[in-house]
Amino acid sequence: MARMRRRGFLLRSSVVLGSGCLVAPNTRAAVAPAVLRKPVAPVVVASANGHAGCVARAFEEIVAGKAVVDAVVSGVTLVEDDPNDHSVGLGGLPNEDGEVELDASVMDGPSGLAGAVASIRRIKNPSRVALAVLRYTDHVLLVGAGANAFAKAHGFPEQELLTPEAREIWLHWRATMSDTDDWLPKTGKDVPENVKQYFGITGTINCCGVDAKGDLGGVTTTSGLAFKLAGRVGDSPIPGAGLFVDNAVGAAGSTGRGEANLVTAGSHTVVEFMRAGKHPKDACLAACRRIAESTRAPRLLRADGRPDFNVSYYAVDKRGRYGGAALYDGGEFAVCDAKGPRKESLVGLFAR
Ligand code: GLY
């Protein structure tokens, strides 16, 4: 059986190599149901932290002919590499033990394939490892030590990801969380606002795009919830939750409270609303409404009965329309098309 399976793999691989494609041909690309009558105007959307370079790079690479999934991973790599962005990759905020644990997923519309890693450590580009899972394994999701071993096998360098600034933020959190433990704050109990802003946040970048053929791709990468329990995995590496791409319809991803997105399969919900005919903006808003309706645990609700957290969605459809929405207004997202990179407002389900 194992030999048969391996032989089948080699046969498929030889077709792949012979055709010059990077992904296996026995995929939905061959039976894509949607036929576009005219070329699409390419567009890339991302969470607001994709404004500084990410969306522009992804858009340029899409226009130059790169597969959308490669282009968006190339874009988010800029943010993963940035030690000053505490939401992802190098400089990401650590778990409660001071260890940076990263999650990421990618989805390739033409092939219908996904790759993901969760709780990977000491590798600054989990999005690239997720892409390698998509390309070079028959699996979708690798976690923890297995994800690290796979990354090592593929030559991803290991390094310390906890930057001095992220360590200081974590130490402030660690030393001020209890009056009865043995950790004493270095600088008094008053946590500076520029540090406090990171307490309890879920930093993430999502980036999705569509090319002139109407082919779609997406990536979501994160250091997850700041100071999470070791091993906590959010929505970002879970296809359907933090990212979902259907090449016949559209691509969507999210940032914010991953737990809410996991229990509502949020990004899949956005794509399904687009499939039903909604504009990407309205599909994102409808997924926000789904979260608001399904959040019932009192500890997750404000006094007015609304969620006490935020989730944002970003989406593009096969026709090149795009939009974004959040539970609470006031946020922005990044866009790049032929008019260049810019930020636009997220539509809010509720006033902040
Ligand atoms: N949305 C990122 C996370 O919850 O991990």
Side-chain angles (χ1 to χ4, degrees), residues 103 202-204 222 224-225 232 234-236 255-259:
D103 306 330
T202 46
T204 304
T222 189
L225 177 65
R232 177 266 188 189
D235 57 327
S236 303
T255 59
R257 181 178 161 80
E259 282 74 5

Side-chain angles (χ1 to χ4, degrees), residues 265-278:
S267 295
H268 181 262
T269 300
V270 174
V271 172
E272 290 308 304
F273 278 126
M274 290 194 287
R275 192 191 309 277
K278 283 192 187 295

Side-chain angles (χ1 to χ4, degrees), residues 168-245:
E168 283 304 310
I169 295 168
W170 171 69
L171 279 171
H172 267 293
W173 173 82
R174 189 67 192 81
T176 54
M177 61 186 286
S178 168
D179 285 334
T180 56
D181 68 14
D182 297 325
W183 289 76
L184 301 178
K186 283 188 198 168
T187 53
K189 282 190 185 168
D190 291 336
V191 181
E193 285 305 317
N194 65 337
V195 170
K196 202 186 282 180
Q197 65 174 320
Y198 293 110
F199 286 18
I201 67 151
T202 46
T204 304
I205 180 164
N206 163 255
C207 185
C208 292
V210 61
D211 68 13
K213 299 191 294 292
D215 284 336
L216 295 139
V219 58
T220 303
T221 176
T222 189
S223 52
L225 177 65
F227 322 128
K228 59 196 173 187
L229 297 182
R232 177 266 188 189
V233 174
D235 57 327
S236 303
I238 308 300
L243 176 70
F244 194 68
V245 178

